[in-house]
Amino acid sequence: MSTSTHSNDREEGLEFQPKFDASGLLTCVATDAATGEVLMVAHMNDEALRKTIASGEAWYFSRSCKRLWRKGESSGHTQRVVEMRMDCDQDAIWIRVEQTGAACHTGRRSCFYRAVTSADGDTRLSFVDADRLFDPDTVYRK
Amino acid sequence: MSTSTHSNDREEGLEFQPKFDASGLLTCVATDAATGEVLMVAHMNDEALRKTIASGEAWYFSRSCKRLWRKGESSGHTQRVVEMRMDCDQDAIWIRVEQTGAACHTGRRSCFYRAVTSADGDTRLSFVDADRLFDPDTVYRK
């Protein structure tokens, strides 16, 4: 196959060149390594990315709290990284993880516990896989 | 279980209240409905979200081209939405799709065709599932 005019080092090379956005962040998608379920979407800054790679545990950067955050540091619900993938333009990371307990701060296994449904132009949400695995009042009230 | 102090309408309600960022965008993760593989991470503005819901085909907003974009409009590699899920704070969407052909503009099935590996403090990428299903030179040179 001919060399693509769309190719460049960042897309076709094997050099690790994360492309952080204006806020210094990458988007990270965490999926359950066993089931493929999307557990959460969060962000990593350079330090979170380095700590994740070095430790094999997921670290994120909280945009709301503006601080580095080891997943599970409060709840104990850590994420062990089984595999990390980089996307084509190196501005998004996919991690396949072994999730201890639940990923969502609301107590659900996944943050995506509601389906979007539409009928007659009316769009609503409906609960799917929305059972709580923990009570956030108990876990976070420390 | 007691009502969580962390709960609010956006997290616990069934009203569709997408929370767009300062640029008017949501993050969208598209996974293969059959395999669970993450195909791509992209963005939707309000119009892309509405068109996706109304048509059952994925529409996105291109940040680089600053325009609405129907997935596959150039390549023919459309995404039929099997299920759409909203996350806890309604700023990220997960769509499970039937992908025609390949999701990535480089010709790969998924944008995540490189694994991140680290040894002795040196982080590199390595190709995984990186076979091209189409030649981008041929598909996009129209």
Side-chain angles (χ1 to χ4, degrees), chain B residues 65-96:
Chain B
C65 302
K66 300 191 191 312
R67 72 172 185 87
L68 201 68
W69 153 58
R70 183 171 66 81
K71 179 67 184 165
E73 65 186 14
S74 297
S75 65
H77 298 150
T78 54
Q79 294 179 337
R80 193 179 77 78
V81 179
V82 174
E83 186 182 30
M84 177 182 279
R85 299 266 195 116
M86 181 66 93
D87 83 339
C88 46
D89 56 358
Q90 301 208 31
D91 68 354
I93 290 270
W94 168 24
I95 53 175
R96 296 174 53 239

Side-chain angles (χ1 to χ4, degrees), chain A residues 11 84-85 112-113 116, chain B residues 11-12 84-85 112-113 116:
Chain A
E11 293 189 350
M84 178 181 278
R85 298 267 195 117
F112 294 87
Y113 50 84
V116 180
Chain B
E11 292 189 350
E12 297 300 331
M84 177 182 279
R85 299 266 195 116
F112 294 87
Y113 50 84
V116 180

Side-chain angles (χ1 to χ4, degrees), chain B residues 124-136:
Chain B
R124 299 279 296 167
L125 304 179
S126 59
F127 288 114
V128 185
D129 302 330
D131 291 345
R132 280 197 172 89
L133 303 186
F134 69 81
D135 178 352

Side-chain angles (χ1 to χ4, degrees), chain A residues 2-3 5 10-14 84-88 105 108 111-114 116 125 132 137, chain B residues 2-3 5 10-14 84-88 91 105 108 111-114 116 125 132 137:
Chain A
S2 65
T3 301
T5 54
R10 190 166 241 143
E11 293 189 350
E12 297 300 332
L14 296 177
M84 178 181 278
R85 298 267 195 117
M86 182 65 93
D87 84 338
C88 45
H105 74 286
R108 280 91 173 193
C111 295
F112 294 87
Y113 50 84
R114 289 169 298 182
V116 180
L125 304 178
R132 280 196 173 87
D137 278 352
Chain B
S2 64
T3 302
T5 54
R10 190 166 242 143
E11 292 189 350
E12 297 300 331
L14 295 178
M84 177 182 279
R85 299 266 195 116
M86 181 66 93
D87 83 339
C88 46
D91 68 354
H105 73 288
R108 280 91 173 193
C111 294
F112 294 87
Y113 50 84
R114 289 170 298 183
V116 180
L125 304 179
R132 280 197 172 89
D137 278 353

